[in-house]
Amino acid sequence: MTTDTKTQKKLRPATTLVHGGGTRSQYGETSEAMFLTQGFVYSSAEAAEARFNGEDPGFVYSRYANPTTAMFEDRIKALEGAEAARATASGMAAVNLALMASVRAGDHVVAAKALFGSCRYICEILLPRFGVESTLVDGTDIEQWKAAVKPNTKALFLESPTNPTLEIIDIAAVAEIAKSVGARLIVDNVFATPMYQSPLELGADVVVYSATKHIDGQGRCLGGVVLSDQEWITDEVMPFVKHTGPHMSPFNAWVLLKGLETLPLRVAQQTSSASKIADFLAEQSKVSRLIYPGRDDHPQAEVAKRQMRGGSTMVAFEIGDGKDAAFRFLNALEIIKLSNNLGDAKTLITHPATTTHQSMTEEARAELDISGGMLRLSVGLEDPLDLLEDIEQALTVI
Ligand SMILES: Cc1ncc(COP(=O)(O)O)c(C=O)c1O
């Protein structure tokens, strides 16, 4: 295998996503090879011994590492500017890995309340079962983060923009607080994508992705990735991966590796359409609230401008007088599909209160401003005029 590094030049993101981390076999293939293998054979007993004791850095077993998965890790690592990356079977495996590798029994975690449901489950329910206390705060209120940290706080965790209300949390400010107590700041960067937000540059210690979303972008494979410094990945993340088995399959790694090649084009097009749709919705009398991080009327527009390079592919809005109107609107849509997924080439819409956030109590939903009329739109790659016409005709029924 050879690494494709003829040039020592620092490559721009779009070039990195086409060539970064690429290795070629003896056949010199153009497209990266898919190594669907569980294990590896050794030329001698001595070679096997050297592989196992680390003298020879080659592959041992695909639960530890695999050549195709390594190409995916190297490519996204180069884009993110991280020292090391570990790919996982799903976004949730990545979040769980990042948190588990950060804490021990007796430690404390602070997380924003506005988290994807399963992330909140890990913080609120799972970690306390293993003796890790957690405190949930309003992530947009920096004073609450300051008040919540303690000497035994080992991890701070947030996503920004949040799901589904697209709140923006000041990553640099939370990173300062994490540093002040020697804790690790973990940022779930799914909604912003690596194209629009670089948490490590803002002071975060760990970035996690559900690669299932924009990185695949075509609704095929689950995947996730944890990116951070080499020492932590080697000392804490790798042993967890090796012994508990959340590694990404090489098949999924191949699909996601190819997804990275088109990520900048897709995200730019989807964002351009999302911004047109947001502007259109803002003018509609039947839309009572519109939240889009790329607009000046976003509640945290100033923070968004400071830490994001684009408005994102996601739009949240509230319709009429609640759930009934929202359901009538959803059922009238023709091109836009109802689905809880996001980041896809297909435009997808979800009613968070009855789907992704259904298991929350009504009070918890109210605290996060998730009303019965709220809808979350993930804008895809269709012609934006078709999407606007679909929304316009569906609005007439409510
Ligand atoms: C913000 C966020 N984090 C994590 C996840 C989990 O990702 P996955 O479905 O790949 O496990 C999701 C969505 O499912 C998400 O929206």
Side-chain angles (χ1 to χ4, degrees), residues 89-95 115-119 157 159 161-163 188-191 208-213 221-224 340-342 376:
S90 68
M92 282 323 302
V95 169
L115 286 181
F116 172 62
S118 297
C119 299
F157 178 45
E159 60 185 53
T162 62
N163 181 18
D188 181 338
N189 209 31
V190 164
F191 274 45
V208 291
Y209 287 104
S210 163
T212 314
K213 309 295 186 291
C221 287
L222 295 180
N340 45 293
N341 206 5
L342 62 104
R376 188 198 74 188

Side-chain angles (χ1 to χ4, degrees), residues 11-34:
L11 302 174
R12 293 174 179 83
T15 316
T16 300
L17 286 171
V18 174
H19 295 285
T23 49
R24 293 199 163 80
S25 75
Q26 69 273 32
Y27 300 114
E29 61 279 355
T30 313
S31 175
E32 294 75 2
M34 194 197 297

